[in-house]
Amino acid sequence: GDSVTQMEGPVTLSEEAFLTINCTYTATGYPSLFWYVQYPGEGLQLLLKATKADDKGSNKGFEATYRKETTSFHLEKGSVQVSDSAVYFCALSPDYGQNFVFGPGTRLSVLP
Amino acid sequence: EPEVTQTPSHQVTQMGQEVILRCVPISNHLYFYWYRQILGQKVEFLVSFYNNEISEKSEIFDDQFSVERPDGSNFTLKIRSTKLEDSAMYFCASRGDGELFFGEGSRLTVL
């Protein structure tokens, strides 16, 4: 079945450091790919998405590129802030169904 | 901005009791979902609902669980006889523009 794998956390960075969170997926067809973010005590919010190969999603300084050849959707940010501390979930939506499949989440802590 | 709302935000119940979690999805959305998250861990799919019936469900969604859309706005998750391992955050979501919109969650604690 479809699945999403992402790097295990927690990830701890200093403010203004470069961030990469790796995400790879297994799916048939052409899924849409997403990054969701969960701030402490809150629900999940969409951070960015990409619906086809080579699309780049971007929001709030974060970006991720849909790479079909490597089945990856790595999240990057050039300079993280303390306010970026949260749990980040990579997810896919298969093109044949309506369910979303989530990765296990990566907790990011940014220190001042 | 339209949002998904959930009630209650926190419920404490005794093992074996019935619990109903309520959700109001975004009004023009057609697909609704329940997910759960145990202790800030993985977000697990429970069930999806479309056109007044279940469209997909996971292995977790056994006979103890049921969903209902009793009127034009509410979408409920019922757990018939709660177990300790049902303690989790339960998130409702609705789908629009190809993305999921989540509520803030209902924390269920089973004692």
Side-chain angles (χ1 to χ4, degrees):
Chain A
D2 298 340
S3 65
V4 175
T5 302
Q6 54 183 116
M7 60 190 291
E8 296 289 330
V11 174
T12 302
L13 296 173
S14 298
E15 206 164 25
E16 299 183 4
F18 183 84
L19 169 71
T20 300
I21 302 178
N22 290 336
C23 170
T24 56
Y25 67 91
T26 302
T28 53
Y30 302 92
S32 295
L33 302 175
F34 305 81
W35 278 101
Y36 278 82
V37 59
Q38 185 179 32
Y39 298 103
E42 298 184 13
L44 282 75
Q45 304 171 26
L46 179 68
L47 181 59
L48 52 85
K49 68 178 181 182
T51 57
K52 61 183 188 297
D54 299 326
D55 266 4
K56 179 187 283 189
S58 61
N59 186 24
K60 299 181 182 179
F62 291 88
E63 57 182 36
T65 301
Y66 188 149
R67 301 284 188 203
K68 189 159 178 62
E69 64 276 13
T70 54
T71 62
S72 64
F73 193 55
H74 304 322
L75 182 68
E76 296 182 337
K77 186 174 185 182
S79 176
V80 293
Q81 305 301 311
V82 172
S83 57
D84 294 326
S85 298
V87 182
Y88 293 81
F89 293 90
C90 186
L92 68 82
S93 173
D95 62 0
Y96 58 85
Q98 296 299 330
N99 186 17
F100 277 54
V101 177
F102 284 84
T106 301
R107 183 175 301 276
L108 170 67
S109 296
V110 181
L111 305 178
Chain B
E1 187 176 320
E3 59 180 16
V4 176
T5 57
Q6 291 185 239
T7 54
S9 56
H10 188 193
Q11 180 152 0
V12 181
T13 190
Q14 296 291 324
M15 191 169 57
Q17 295 297 303
E18 177 183 283
V19 160
I20 297 176
L21 305 178
R22 292 182 169 80
C23 170
V24 179
I26 294 173
S27 61
N28 62 343
H29 288 180
L30 301 178
Y31 288 88
F32 315 121
Y33 305 78
W34 284 101
Y35 286 82
R36 79 173 186 191
Q37 185 181 36
I38 296 175
L39 277 180
Q41 296 174 24
K42 185 171 183 171
V43 176
E44 299 175 298
F45 168 71
L46 293 178
V47 65
S48 60
F49 192 85
Y50 171 72
N51 200 26
N52 284 320
E53 59 183 30
I54 291 173
S55 54
E56 281 185 75
K57 61 181 181 179
S58 71
E59 294 173 351
I60 302 168
F61 195 87
D62 61 21
D63 291 344
Q64 292 300 311
F65 291 88
S66 62
V67 289
E68 197 176 40
R69 189 157 162 83
D71 53 44
S73 59
N74 289 284
F75 177 51
T76 61
L77 174 69
K78 182 193 290 187
I79 309 175
R80 237 177 298 280
S81 176
T82 50
K83 304 188 282 284
L84 295 177
E85 54 265 36
D86 293 328
S87 295
M89 279 291 283
Y90 288 82
F91 290 103
C92 174
S94 64
R95 181 175 180 142
D97 273 339
E99 66 184 74
L100 287 184
F101 294 79
F102 284 85
E104 293 291 307
S106 293
R107 179 175 298 280
L108 175 64
T109 302
V110 182
L111 303 177

